[in-house]
Amino acid sequence: MAAHIGRRLRKGAATTAVAAAAVAALSASQAPGATVDDQGRQSTGDATSAPDTAADDSATGNSPYYTDLPPLNSPNPSPSAGSGDAGDQRAGEAGIPATVLDAYKQAEATLREKKPGCNLPWQLLAAIGKVESGQARGGRVTADGTTVTPILGPQLDGNGFALIRDTDNGAYDGNRMYDQAVGPMQFIPSTWDWAGRDGNGDGRKDPNNIYDAAFAAGHYLCRFDWDLSQQGDLRKAILSYNNSTDYLNTVLSWLEFYRRGTHEIPDGTGALPVDRSDDTARPGVTPSAPGTTPPARPGKPSGSRPSPSPAAPGNGGSPSTPPVTPPPATPPTPTDTVHHLEDAGTGTLTAMAGHTFAERVSTRAETEAGKAVAKVRIRFTLVGDTDTTFTGGETVATVTTDASGVAVAPALQAGERTGAFAVQAAVVGRSVKGVPYKATVTARAADALALAGEKEPTCVAGGEFAEPVQVKATYRGEAAGKVAVTATLVTSADDPAENDKGPYFKDADGKAVRSLTGLRTDADGQLTLPKLYADDTAGTFLLRLTTTGGATLDVKLTVEPAAAPSPEPDPSTDPAPSTDPSTEPSTDPSETPAA
């Protein structure tokens, strides 16, 4: 133990300077008004008052983490920067294993496309991965990014740690009594259950795979529409991962370090961190690395029988075993008292595609006697084939019950996929029957259609209409975008059958068609129909437009007769040559006039 303490003292002397430098840089560039404490760590008014976040509402359940600070050497050491074991150790501390680094960068690239407003830097994932697992134990991962052996935190049994009873029946952590943080990003099972992501495209969500875990961590940090380029949102996101000011400062130190540069090292060659935040939680016990069996706690047997104590005065000199005082019983939490959930008056959950649901899911937590239970975390999960989300774009939301035992989920935002789905309400950290809520998304609709122009379309028989028909759809007075429209040239106002003469559209092959489906208004509710043509039939015709929701508009189309062509002369009607001899020139020589 003395050697361990001596190592920590030597390490502390070497790392305090770089910690102070790193945090000072953060203070100057991102956190105006921040100060640096005597440990070289940043503190501000925001940091000292961490959010009121329950352990199992954080990604890690506030599990222990590594407190090692960045090294003094440059993140990108030159070839001459040290040699031998010391140089290798510094390079290992500054470098990031190749597969692990690739997972961080891939997660950043994907989220830049999916959630561009989050501005997630891969260096933040690297900083969290460093303090959670030492970059997956120095990059000890297989070719596909899965850790060679599981990385497990200590069981969260309330003795020096948060109390989180088993939520996964041991599926992720192998523990059916209490939860343990799992994998290189140290998710607790109840969080991974909804936050897990498939980052490597193999169809699985594995917390022990660095690609899956890094992608899930990125989504977790971006889940509340936080902009991580803003200092306030960055701090909130980190604290939501592990609700500790010391954790925040350690992550910020590594974030600044990696932002100044780093380099890739081979998998499995990274330096393993030494000091953990739970060093003082169990005095006199050397902390174990994540994944090893936690050491015995003070006051509890370690697996070997205690040695008999010397004879006590007055007991006849016979040896006796000192009694082991059992730990005090843990008082029940509000969650422990929940017997069931009840609907708290949720109305009909129906919304049009692209619209916000007017009703919000409301659930009440109750004891067996029906008494309300406050301060219980209720998880609302969307279930089914739907692209509907909660406000903020997430499919899972956790809300704490109020004094009346009621938790109200965030508003639902309907996507474009129509049909039924469900919202499942469940108690976080306790297996009680949940409450399902049926919800429905209906197709986009319009309740009114209007012709965009005032002039009715006109053309001559055999010609084409000069201007296309334009209409606008509205719903309750607002533009109805993306609404399906059907256009049919009907026989008459009383006969909706398709007309067999008069104006027509053309299909892709140039053939005449008098009915079109699949038309859709734009985002502003506007629709311009394809060009109309007219056959040789003159008269007045009707173009009927209908939408989902029942809006109908009849547009009158006028086809004027074609102008009659000028007639060609008819030889049979020309006047006959004259037969009057008096009008014919004389051919008699005797009648020739005298010269």
Side-chain angles (χ1 to χ4, degrees), residues 53-65 132 153-165 167 173 178-182 185-192 194-195 220 223 238-244 247 277 377 379 428:
T53 305
D56 52 350
D57 280 342
S58 69
T60 68
N62 298 338
S63 294
Y65 57 91
E132 292 295 350
Q155 66 178 14
L156 301 173
D157 56 6
N159 195 336
F161 306 112
L163 172 61
I164 306 179
R165 294 186 173 85
T167 61
D173 54 16
Y178 302 96
D179 273 351
Q180 295 175 250
V182 181
M185 303 303 279
Q186 289 289 277
F187 280 94
I188 55 173
S190 58
T191 301
W192 182 262
W194 63 266
Y220 186 92
R223 69 193 187 285
I238 297 172
L239 285 169
S240 78
Y241 208 90
N242 190 313
N243 190 24
S244 160
Y247 179 88
S277 59
R377 289 165 298 284
R379 179 175 298 125
V428 176

Side-chain angles (χ1 to χ4, degrees), residues 341-347 349 360-364 380 407 421-425 435-439:
L341 296 178
E342 292 284 350
D343 176 28
T346 305
L349 296 171
R360 294 168 65 178
V361 178
S362 181
T363 300
R364 175 181 163 96
F380 299 96
F421 65 97
V423 181
Q424 184 72 31
V435 178
Y437 297 84
K438 184 179 179 180

Side-chain angles (χ1 to χ4, degrees), residues 35-112:
T35 59
V36 178
D37 62 19
D38 58 1
Q39 299 299 315
R41 291 175 174 168
Q42 182 183 18
S43 62
T44 69
D46 291 340
T48 55
S49 56
D52 181 15
T53 305
D56 52 350
D57 280 342
S58 69
T60 68
N62 298 338
S63 294
Y65 57 91
Y66 287 110
T67 59
D68 301 58
L69 294 173
L72 289 169
N73 59 288
S74 167
N76 294 300
S78 63
S80 61
S83 60
D85 293 341
D88 292 342
Q89 182 180 8
R90 288 196 299 270
E93 288 177 344
I96 299 177
T99 299
V100 178
L101 179 60
D102 182 60
Y104 296 149
K105 292 185 175 181
Q106 182 172 304
E108 178 201 54
T110 304
L111 285 164
R112 188 185 304 122

Side-chain angles (χ1 to χ4, degrees), residues 85-181:
D85 293 341
D88 292 342
Q89 182 180 8
R90 288 196 299 270
E93 288 177 344
I96 299 177
T99 299
V100 178
L101 179 60
D102 182 60
Y104 296 149
K105 292 185 175 181
Q106 182 172 304
E108 178 201 54
T110 304
L111 285 164
R112 188 185 304 122
E113 177 182 349
K114 291 182 176 293
K115 294 190 175 184
C118 180
N119 294 308
L120 171 78
W122 67 261
Q123 292 91 341
L124 176 59
L125 297 176
I128 291 176
K130 180 68 175 179
V131 303
E132 292 295 350
S133 67
Q135 310 298 20
R137 288 185 185 152
R140 287 158 178 80
V141 295
T142 60
D144 70 346
T146 303
T147 58
V148 175
T149 56
I151 301 176
L152 297 175
Q155 66 178 14
L156 301 173
D157 56 6
N159 195 336
F161 306 112
L163 172 61
I164 306 179
R165 294 186 173 85
D166 176 56
T167 61
D168 66 331
N169 199 29
Y172 294 119
D173 54 16
N175 189 336
R176 297 187 179 184
M177 291 290 292
Y178 302 96
D179 273 351
Q180 295 175 250

